Amino acid sequence: MFKSVMLCIVLLGDGAFGLAARIMSSWAAWPVAIAALVAVQYLEVTPPSLRQHDVDGHREYVNHILNTGTIPGLLHGWETWHPPLYYLLAAGWKGLVPVSAGDDPFRSVQMLGCALYLATVFSALLVGRRLGLGGIALMAGMALLALMPGHLFYAARINSDVLLPVLGVGITAATCAYATSGDSRSLWALALLLPAALATKMSSLAIFGGAMVVVVGSDIRRGQTWGAVARRTY
């Protein structure tokens, strides 16, 4: 089962490469394909206990949700002070994605990290293109995102860090879109993505603040009154 899921992830990466190559140059799409291959290889050789931070506490959090159907209290365990969104997602994923008999049941949660890592790389590719990047510049940026060890480690990690990057890419895209066009749909996207980021990691308060500064500054630049700015931001 593990190898079957890995094959699906590789095929997903290959499909993403083909789509990216049609949207932009294949040079920029190569990091997506390479990221898929490297991430799956890294995941296959990395057990759940390797290169993890307090992994037992994160496993306890996920198991508590699965066993009781409730979010644990802040002082229940080592890591239960974290916001719950990632752990709810991991519990649902673990319940739906089986692993081979005798394998660590949290291998499936590692697969979630791998899928989120690839989603981050591909969505960043699309955002880079939307921001006007292309060719070698975009490929270099994507290579740094996809292949730096500190980023690649997320492809097998079990903690809420793995969800924040893909949300951050979405927030970046929506914020830039609002700054350039003032499209209200971008505000609705931020209204969904920013609370999701806060429900994942409290450190995303910095992202929240940065996005709000850009939104308010964009409205002021367009000549809106402070009252209109306050209403729109609210």
Side-chain angles (χ1 to χ4, degrees), residues 59-225:
R59 292 167 68 123
E60 177 189 24
Y61 200 150
V62 174
N63 281 332
H64 179 93
I65 293 173
L66 279 172
N67 295 334
T68 68
T70 63
I71 297 171
L74 293 178
L75 301 180
H76 178 84
W78 295 352
E79 301 295 337
T80 53
W81 56 272
H82 284 291
L85 182 58
Y86 164 78
Y87 301 94
L88 291 168
L89 180 62
W93 179 281
K94 184 172 180 285
L96 292 174
V97 179
V99 295
S100 303
D103 210 349
D104 190 310
F106 273 81
R107 290 295 271 170
S108 64
V109 181
Q110 285 186 291
M111 295 176 202
L112 172 63
C114 187
L116 289 170
Y117 163 78
L118 293 177
T120 301
V121 173
F122 183 60
S123 58
L125 185 61
L126 297 180
V127 172
R129 180 62 173 177
R130 185 165 184 172
L131 293 178
L133 300 177
I136 300 298
L138 182 57
M139 184 185 70
M142 292 304 305
L144 287 174
L145 173 65
L147 303 177
M148 283 184 66
H151 299 158
L152 182 60
F153 288 168
Y154 282 10
R157 186 154 286 175
I158 301 172
N159 64 37
S160 54
D161 291 340
V162 302
L163 179 56
L164 196 57
V166 70
L167 294 174
V169 171
I171 290 169
T172 300
T175 304
C176 290
Y178 185 75
T180 55
S181 68
D183 186 356
S184 61
R185 291 176 298 180
S186 302
L187 279 184
W188 283 109
L190 288 173
L192 293 173
L193 292 169
L194 288 173
L198 291 175
T200 301
K201 295 279 290 186
M202 289 308 298
S203 57
S204 62
L205 277 170
I207 301 174
F208 186 97
M212 287 299 96
V213 167
V214 173
V215 168
V216 171
S218 299
D219 284 343
I220 294 173
R221 178 169 53 85
R222 295 188 185 100
Q224 296 193 26
T225 65

